[in-house]
Amino acid sequence: MTRILRRIHLYAYFTSVLFFFSLGYPLLFYYARNPKKHYRKLVSFRRWISLAGIYAVGIRIRVEYETPIDWSQNYVLCANHTSFLDITILNYLCKSPFSFMGKIELLKNPVTRIFFQTIDIPVKRDSKISAFKAYKRALELLQEGKSLAIFPEGRIEHDYPPLLHRFKSGAFRMAYANQTPILPIVIQDAWQILWDDGKTYGAKPGVIHVKVLAPIIPNADGGEAFSSLEAEVYHKMKEAWNICNK
């Protein structure tokens, strides 16, 4: 019975997101014709659709900050990845204009497609050319003063309950190259509400807890400094993940 209810809730969630997306689509379509000019509006619409979609089905987000965050500063947001809801959580969290870097498959999703065609950055994992173009575009956005959201694990792994897996280096190379602070974000229990895409265990109402750690400023020293940055971020996120998942 529980599995049936969770399946119903999953369908209700996706229906809710599609409903709010459809409401805003005429304006979205207009703004998408000139994404550079309407960047902030597209970011605001993405946030509104995401949050309306979860609120309508009884999902809430509660955030704990290790230190106050200055949202006038741009960041490379690095979050662990266990749920389709992680995108919504970062939309809720980030108070300044930002772009996602995500898998190219999101261009096939009817809701995320318009954003990954305009303000977000699709990347094909197994293509060096795609990765280079995405890296170059991400650096351009950081240099323009925009923030960038990346899931440094690269994808949702098959472990259940989930673990924090080793990071890929891209986010840290970009942060180091542009001397942009990393903002580590530990999404504690989104997987209990909706794991991965929800196909296995469905979804349920509830509160998702998030811990935002203090920003980490890249060391300006040369060499492989981005590697030490990656190790520092991973260690701090791993420590926070272990504490909340005991």
Side-chain angles (χ1 to χ4, degrees):
M1 185 64 179
T2 300
R3 178 159 289 193
I4 293 173
L5 291 175
R6 289 187 66 118
R7 181 67 58 181
I8 292 171
H9 188 269
L10 178 68
Y11 292 148
Y13 165 65
F14 285 128
T15 300
S16 173
V17 171
L18 192 58
F19 170 74
F20 290 109
F21 174 76
S22 299
L23 277 183
Y25 186 76
L27 272 176
L28 270 177
F29 180 77
Y30 171 74
Y31 293 143
R33 295 171 66 184
N34 192 341
K36 192 173 183 66
K37 178 181 178 181
H38 298 297
Y39 182 91
R40 287 178 176 270
K41 291 185 176 69
L42 288 164
V43 170
S44 295
F45 259 94
R46 186 183 59 196
R47 187 174 194 268
W48 174 76
I49 292 166
S50 294
L51 297 184
I54 64 167
Y55 289 163
V57 294
I59 299 173
R60 300 292 182 267
I61 301 168
R62 187 172 299 159
V63 182
E64 178 187 352
Y65 293 92
E66 187 175 52
T67 187
I69 303 301
D70 176 13
W71 290 111
S72 66
Q73 161 77 56
N74 68 328
Y75 300 96
V76 175
L77 289 80
C78 285
N80 60 303
H81 199 19
T82 65
S83 171
F84 193 81
L85 297 174
D86 295 338
I87 294 173
T88 296
I89 292 164
L90 295 187
N91 276 317
Y92 172 86
L93 184 68
C94 191
K95 304 299 188 289
S96 58
F98 76 102
S99 293
F100 282 101
M101 180 181 284
K103 60 185 181 180
I104 199 167
E105 287 83 358
L106 290 166
L107 285 169
K108 299 177 182 178
N109 183 294
V111 175
T112 57
R113 180 192 301 123
I114 195 168
F115 300 109
F116 274 87
Q117 288 175 332
T118 53
I119 57 174
D120 294 328
I121 306 170
V123 57
K124 190 175 183 181
R125 294 194 192 106
D126 56 354
S127 169
K128 290 184 179 180
I129 294 175
S130 175
F132 175 76
K133 288 181 178 178
Y135 180 86
K136 186 177 178 181
R137 176 59 182 148
L139 278 181
E140 289 172 355
L141 289 170
L142 291 175
Q143 289 163 6
E144 291 171 7
K146 298 179 176 68
S147 291
L148 184 70
I150 300 179
F151 299 112
E153 293 167 284
R155 62 181 181 182
I156 299 174
E157 297 291 352
H158 299 300
D159 308 290
Y160 189 90
L163 305 170
L164 186 66
H165 292 268
R166 286 291 172 185
F167 294 163
K168 299 184 183 302
S169 64
F172 309 98
R173 290 177 182 270
M174 285 183 282
Y176 175 73
N178 201 60
Q179 288 297 292
T180 304
I182 293 274
L183 188 62
I185 299 163
V186 180
I187 303 171
Q188 299 174 356
D189 48 13
W191 62 275
Q192 296 179 359
I193 303 296
L194 190 160
W195 179 60
D196 199 354
D197 57 7
K199 291 179 180 178
T200 304
Y201 297 111
K204 67 175 183 177
V207 178
I208 297 171
H209 299 86
V210 182
K211 179 72 178 281
V212 179
L213 306 181
I216 299 174
I217 300 173
N219 190 322
D221 293 339
E224 297 293 307
F226 67 86
S227 297
S228 61
L229 176 63
E230 177 184 343
E232 182 180 1
V233 173
Y234 180 84
H235 173 75
K236 291 188 175 182
M237 288 180 64
K238 180 76 170 177
E239 186 177 43
W241 172 263
N242 289 341
I243 289 172
C244 69
N245 285 282
K246 282 184 177 179

